[in-house]
């Protein structure tokens, strides 16, 4: 008997439906001829609790730390015992086992740890499925490989699970105990990913709380030229008081110049035009989709992930969603007309976009060299029934289909124009953009492009017909949202100060993975380290205190991002798990030595003051930039660009 073990029941059903023969249901499995298709329910096993290794660890004590198992053990999750019993019985009947976990590191671990836990010693094949529709599953069944090919992936996932246990168990116990000594009642959870993510938010909130707005001033003038009106922005020279971004810090020079401008004659002294081509945005990875959906529809990262899982498992409308890749296999290009034809049926917007697609085009998205275990999110080729989709499901599906459709549109071609006017020996800049070929752009919401300038000729006369001084203030950084925090986790190198580490991290996956980033945010919210304020994510008093009490390396992204880099090396066979874990244990001892109740007490006290600071400033200034104008004439201008 052949036993196929899927990661979830939905995948098991898709596999059974693709096998030849009728499907019948058994307890915890599906039967198709001499094949049984069973499943896990997520992780059936988990790392054993410390007291499983030694009963004395049930009591939390600082002198027990670090807790390092000599021989690692897994225990069944409380709700998994029934399914493990089913699988144990099926293993006794099996002559062959097929591993059908999801095609990623965790999917490899999830099923293989069950196979090894239940003592199977026979052959194991690997079935990789990223699309639940029958033709795709049937094709995958014909292309199975020996599971031994994926052992390095399993070792990396196992090392990740053990490292997270070591890091989380030991540091959480240490800082919870010092927190109790400092008067904090409750568990203080520390994790190798969640804590640096919390650190990003806390530091952003601190920057906002400490921000002191500074006034600056801009002067614009509207120039009458031969074929229209252009707004230019004064470029004060270095003799004026400027900040490091070239902004004018004193108002009087702008006021003095504005008084001289009415009716002044000048010339267009410099004109530059540059034609540009921009390819369509690539198909989505999960994180890229979460960023766009958060901005467009105000959906949390977790909601977007859940919608994608529903579109994949329940509706079977998209391919495997937990992907970090934005490229598609070259073989999919030939099938795209049929796949997108089905995907766009029954929706007027998608059908309109489909009608204008040119399927002879081949964008850079079709690239086997860029495709790893997964490819980008794409429609599966099933025809959607929009009456069965929620509004959010339909919106997310359209985004996914749109980004693949855009690969069959021409490049966006624009002409960017920069003009410099000289009047009264002062320079004014204007810029605009003309769209030459719209290409893929109509599929996307309008972006904040500078409007086109009227036809211009270098050297032509220009007369000032209006001008104004605008008084502004520098603005604090924006608080993190789901979109910006996911983006920060993806591009963590920009938050690293060490140049060498920054260069290294540009090539890694950042903080967390596609599959975990949304859950990391939700975990921080559930543990009350973060709260939502409208769309903003802000750190709570407890979250602020925890970051202040921990040693700085534990709160910054460098360590965990470098972990991911090393785990990737293990997965690719270029590193070993044992040295990685040995180095972690050395690091843990250093971190544990810095646990200090007095530092925690000070952190709890300073966090109270920090939490009140933004409220005081908001009451004083309202937190908004102030803009006033002093106008010298009333004519209406056509704007060339914004100079601030």
């Amino acid at each position: 008997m052949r036993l196929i073990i899927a990661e979830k029941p939905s995948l098991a059903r898709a596999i059974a439906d693709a096998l030849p023969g009728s499907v019948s249901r058994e307890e915890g499995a599906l039967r198709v001829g001499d094949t049984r298709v069973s499943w896990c329910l997520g992780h059936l096993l988990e790392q054993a609790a410390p007291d499983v290794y030694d009963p004395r660890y049930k009591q939390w004590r600082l002198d027990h730390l670090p807790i390092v198992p000599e021989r690692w053990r897994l225990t069944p999750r409380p709700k998994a015992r029934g399914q493990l019993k089913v699988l144990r019985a099926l293993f006794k009947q099996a002559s062959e086992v097929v591993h059908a976990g999801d095609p990623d590191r965790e999917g490899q671990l999830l099923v293989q740890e069950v196979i090894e836990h239940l003592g199977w010693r026979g052959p194991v094949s690997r079935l990789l499925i990223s699309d639940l529709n029958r033709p795709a599953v049937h094709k995958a069944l014909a292309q199975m490989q020996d599971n031994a090919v994926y052992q390095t992936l399993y070792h990396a996932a196992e090392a990740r699970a053990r490292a997270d246990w070591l890091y989380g168990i030991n540091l959480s116990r240490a800082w919870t105990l010092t927190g109790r000594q400092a008067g904090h009642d409750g568990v203080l959870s520390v994790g190798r990913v969640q804590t640096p993510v919390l650190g990003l938010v806390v530091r952003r909130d601190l920057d906002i709380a400490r921000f002191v707005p500074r006034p600056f001033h801009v002067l614009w003038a509207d120039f009458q030229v031969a074929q229209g009106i252009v707004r230019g922005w004064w470029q004060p020279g270095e003799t004026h008081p400027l900040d490091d971004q070239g902004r004018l810090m004193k108002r009087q020079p702008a006021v003095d110049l504005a008084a001289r401008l009415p009716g002044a004659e000048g010339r267009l002294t410099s004109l530059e035009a540059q034609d540009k081509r921009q390819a369509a945005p690539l198909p989505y990875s999960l994180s890229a989709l979460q960023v766009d959906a958060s901005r467009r529809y105000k959906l949390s990262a977790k909601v977007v992930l859940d919608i994608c899982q529903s579109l994949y498992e329940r509706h079977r409308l998209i391919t495997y969603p937990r992907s970090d890749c934005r490229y598609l296999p070259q073989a999919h290009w030939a099938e795209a007309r049929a796949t997108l034809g089905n995907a766009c049926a029954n929706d007027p917007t998608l059908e309109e976009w489909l009608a204008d697609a040119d399927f002879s085009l081949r964008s850079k998205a079709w690239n086997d060299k860029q495709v790893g275990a997964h490819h980008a999110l794409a429609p599966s080729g099933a025809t959607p029934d929009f009456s069965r989709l929620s509004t959010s499901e339909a919106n997310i599906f359209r985004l996914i289909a749109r980004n693949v459709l855009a690969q069959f549109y021409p490049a966006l071609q624009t002409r960017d124009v920069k003009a410099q006017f000289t009047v009264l020996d002062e320079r004014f800049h204007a810029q605009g953009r003309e769209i030459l070929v719209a290409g893929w752009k109509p599929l996307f919401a309008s972006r904040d492009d500078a409007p086109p300038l009227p036809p211009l000729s270098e050297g032509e006369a220009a007369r000032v017909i209006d001008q104004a001084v605008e008084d502004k203030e520098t603005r604090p950084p924006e608080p993190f949202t789901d979109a910006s925090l996911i983006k920060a986790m993806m591009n963590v190198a920009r938050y690293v100060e060490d140049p060498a580490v920054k260069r290294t991290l540009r090539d890694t996956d950042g903080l967390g993975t596609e599959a975990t980033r949304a859950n990391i945010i939700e975990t921080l919210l559930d543990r009350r380290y973060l709260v939502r304020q409208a769309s903003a994510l802000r750190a709570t008093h407890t979250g602020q205190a925890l970051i202040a009490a921990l040693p700085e390396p534990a709160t910054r992204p460098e360590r965990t991002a470098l972990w991911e880099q090393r785990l990737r090396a293990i997965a690719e066979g270029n590193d070993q798990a044992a040295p990685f874990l040995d180095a972690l244990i050395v690091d843990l001892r250093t971190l544990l030595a810095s646990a200090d109740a007095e530092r925690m007490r000070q952190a709890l006290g300073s966090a109270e003051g920090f939490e009140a600071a933004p409220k005081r400033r908001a009451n004083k200034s309202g937190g908004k930039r102030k803009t006033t104008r002093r106008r010298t004439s009333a004519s209406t201008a056509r704007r060339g660009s914004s100079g601030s």
Side-chain angles (χ1 to χ4, degrees), residues 344-401:
C344 296
N346 305 324
D347 183 79
T349 299
L350 290 176
E351 288 178 337
E352 179 182 347
W353 292 344
L354 178 69
D356 292 331
D358 180 355
F359 287 96
S360 68
L361 299 176
R362 187 192 292 263
S363 78
K364 65 179 181 180
W366 316 95
N367 188 340
D368 288 344
K369 293 180 179 179
Q370 296 289 343
V371 175
H374 337 281
H375 56 69
L377 279 68
S380 65
T383 301
D385 179 354
F386 283 91
S387 67
R388 297 182 59 202
L389 301 182
S390 69
T391 299
S392 292
E393 287 174 334
N395 287 337
I396 295 299
F397 177 73
R398 288 189 192 98
L399 287 181
I400 294 169

Side-chain angles (χ1 to χ4, degrees), residues 356-637:
D356 292 331
D358 180 355
F359 287 96
S360 68
L361 299 176
R362 187 192 292 263
S363 78
K364 65 179 181 180
W366 316 95
N367 188 340
D368 288 344
K369 293 180 179 179
Q370 296 289 343
V371 175
H374 337 281
H375 56 69
L377 279 68
S380 65
T383 301
D385 179 354
F386 283 91
S387 67
R388 297 182 59 202
L389 301 182
S390 69
T391 299
S392 292
E393 287 174 334
N395 287 337
I396 295 299
F397 177 73
R398 288 189 192 98
L399 287 181
I400 294 169
R402 179 201 66 182
N403 272 41
V404 179
L405 268 171
Q407 308 312 309
F408 298 99
Y409 275 69
L412 168 66
Q413 298 182 43
T414 59
R415 177 168 295 148
D416 290 356
V417 178
K418 295 182 179 179
Q420 178 176 297
F421 295 89
T422 301
V423 60
L424 301 177
D425 295 325
E426 298 288 346
R427 294 177 299 119
F428 288 76
H429 283 186
Q431 63 185 39
R433 168 171 289 181
E434 177 184 359
I435 295 179
L436 304 177
V437 177
W440 51 265
K441 191 175 178 63
L443 278 64
F444 291 73
S446 177
R447 301 191 175 186
D448 296 328
D449 292 329
L453 299 177
L456 297 171
S457 299
E458 189 168 333
E460 70 175 294
R463 181 172 58 87
V464 177
I465 61 171
D466 196 9
Q467 64 284 315
V469 176
E470 294 184 3
D471 302 322
K472 302 187 177 185
E473 280 186 344
T474 56
R475 301 187 66 175
E478 294 291 332
F480 277 116
T481 63
D482 278 75
S484 60
L485 189 53
I486 288 283
K487 196 167 184 178
M489 294 163 74
M490 293 167 62
N491 303 292
V492 70
R494 71 180 59 176
Y495 298 94
V496 172
E497 296 176 358
D498 186 307
V501 177
K502 184 186 287 283
R503 285 193 298 272
T504 301
L505 296 187
R506 287 196 185 104
D507 298 326
T508 69
D509 293 332
L511 287 173
T513 66
E514 303 293 321
T516 62
R517 286 177 183 136
N519 286 331
I520 290 164
I521 295 174
E522 294 302 315
T523 295
L524 291 170
L525 289 163
D526 290 343
R527 291 175 176 166
R528 301 295 296 167
Y529 297 151
L530 297 182
V531 291
R532 291 192 191 278
Q533 295 178 356
S535 61
L537 294 168
R538 307 300 293 260
T540 64
H541 169 252
T542 303
Q544 297 154 10
L546 177 59
I547 295 301
L550 283 163
E552 187 176 10
T555 72
R556 299 195 64 87
E558 289 88 337
R559 172 186 278 102
T560 188
L562 290 170
W563 270 32
E564 285 296 333
Q565 184 184 50
R566 195 154 181 191
L567 289 169
R568 174 181 283 187
I570 295 170
E572 294 172 351
N574 298 322
D575 200 349
Q576 299 294 318
F580 166 67
L581 292 173
D582 289 344
L584 169 61
I585 293 167
V586 172
D587 195 18
L588 270 178
R589 295 183 188 279
T590 301
L591 292 171
L592 290 170
S594 66
D596 180 67
E598 181 56 32
R599 179 173 176 174
M600 174 65 75
R601 191 174 293 110
Q602 293 175 1
L604 289 166
S606 63
E608 291 175 355
F610 161 54
E611 195 166 35
K615 298 177 183 177
R616 289 196 298 270
R617 194 187 65 254
N619 290 336
K620 182 178 180 181
S621 66
K624 296 181 179 179
R625 180 176 66 183
K626 298 177 182 178
T627 301
T628 59
R629 293 185 179 181
R630 179 172 298 173
R631 302 185 62 87
T632 56
S633 70
S635 60
T636 301

Side-chain angles (χ1 to χ4, degrees), residues 193-261:
V193 178
Q194 68 163 348
T195 303
V197 172
L198 175 60
L200 289 176
V201 179
V202 168
R203 279 185 278 275
R204 174 63 58 85
D205 286 352
L206 274 170
D207 288 343
I208 294 170
R210 295 168 177 169
F211 181 81
V212 177
R214 294 181 299 166
F216 68 97
H217 313 277
V218 298
L219 165 63
W220 54 258
D222 288 336
F223 293 92
Q224 178 71 62
V225 293
Q227 299 190 54
I229 298 172
V230 179
R231 175 161 294 180
W233 300 82
W234 182 38
Q235 307 298 305
E238 294 181 357
T239 57
H240 296 292
L242 307 178
D243 68 5
D244 57 1
Q245 296 187 38
R247 294 177 296 207
L248 184 66
M249 305 308 292
K250 291 187 177 181
R251 191 174 195 273
Q252 196 58 45
V255 172
D256 292 343
L257 178 56
R260 300 164 55 206
L261 283 175

